[in-house]
Amino acid sequence: MKTAIISDTHGLLRPEALTAIQGCDLILHAGDIGSPEILDHLSQIAPVQAVRGNNDLELPWAANIPDHLSLDLNGWPTLLIHDIADVPAHLAANTRLIITGHSHKPLIEWRDNRLYLNPGSAGRRRFKLPVTLALLDVRADTLEPQLIHLLP
């Protein structure tokens, strides 16, 4: 299952991001969405699961979007949450994949038997951080993450 992981769009969905996620089976948005149109555009490509970020909390259209989601991705117990600081409160013992956003800093790191994945920010550039998203090939026995740089 090819999964696109995007975060921190803050209302900006770049054409480069849309190109990068074509052909994905699922899209996960790790918060700070910015506008409902982002989710509408993404859902034209593949089914979307999303969580609210700290910048979405006061937006009326985001009231029904959860703060975290526990998912099963092709047999991989997964936690989707915006801020890594909130992970301990929602982490189940069997969780193998933790997807976060918030920091705008991409991260792909195995910690023991868990993959921590932050796709970085696909929205406006912040400081000198890269503009990125992640693609994740989810197979029954492996997770193969790839960071995609959207701007040079």
Side-chain angles (χ1 to χ4, degrees):
M1 176 170 58
K2 186 176 178 184
T3 304
I5 302 172
I6 191 167
S7 187
D8 297 276
T9 47
H10 294 279
L12 174 63
L13 189 55
R14 296 174 180 278
E16 297 90 347
L18 293 171
T19 298
I21 65 175
Q22 290 299 317
C24 285
D25 302 304
L26 177 67
I27 300 168
L28 301 178
H29 197 303
D32 281 354
I33 302 159
S35 73
E37 291 80 16
I38 299 290
L39 299 178
D40 291 342
H41 288 309
L42 293 175
S43 68
Q44 293 173 19
I45 296 170
V48 176
Q49 295 282 331
V51 294
R52 289 187 299 180
N54 56 298
N55 288 299
D56 300 321
L57 292 176
E58 302 300 321
L59 302 174
W61 63 266
N64 293 326
I65 296 174
D67 295 324
H68 71 281
L69 283 173
S70 293
L71 311 162
D72 182 293
L73 290 184
N74 202 22
W76 292 84
T78 302
L79 174 63
L80 176 63
I81 194 163
H82 184 61
D83 190 341
I84 197 166
D86 297 327
V87 167
H90 302 284
L91 189 61
N94 69 334
T95 302
R96 299 285 311 280
L97 173 60
I98 295 118
I99 299 169
T100 63
H102 187 58
S103 70
H104 293 227
K105 296 177 184 173
L107 173 74
I108 297 173
E109 179 178 279
W110 282 96
R111 298 179 190 170
D112 297 318
N113 67 341
R114 291 182 170 138
L115 176 60
Y116 283 76
L117 195 158
N118 183 326
S121 171
R124 289 168 184 80
R125 186 182 299 273
R126 183 176 180 199
F127 310 115
K128 293 183 178 181
L129 295 171
V131 178
T132 57
L133 58 79
L135 298 178
L136 182 65
D137 189 7
V138 182
R139 299 181 185 197
D141 58 345
T142 62
L143 293 172
E144 295 180 19
Q146 177 186 11
L147 190 65
I148 305 296
H149 289 263
L150 300 176
L151 297 178

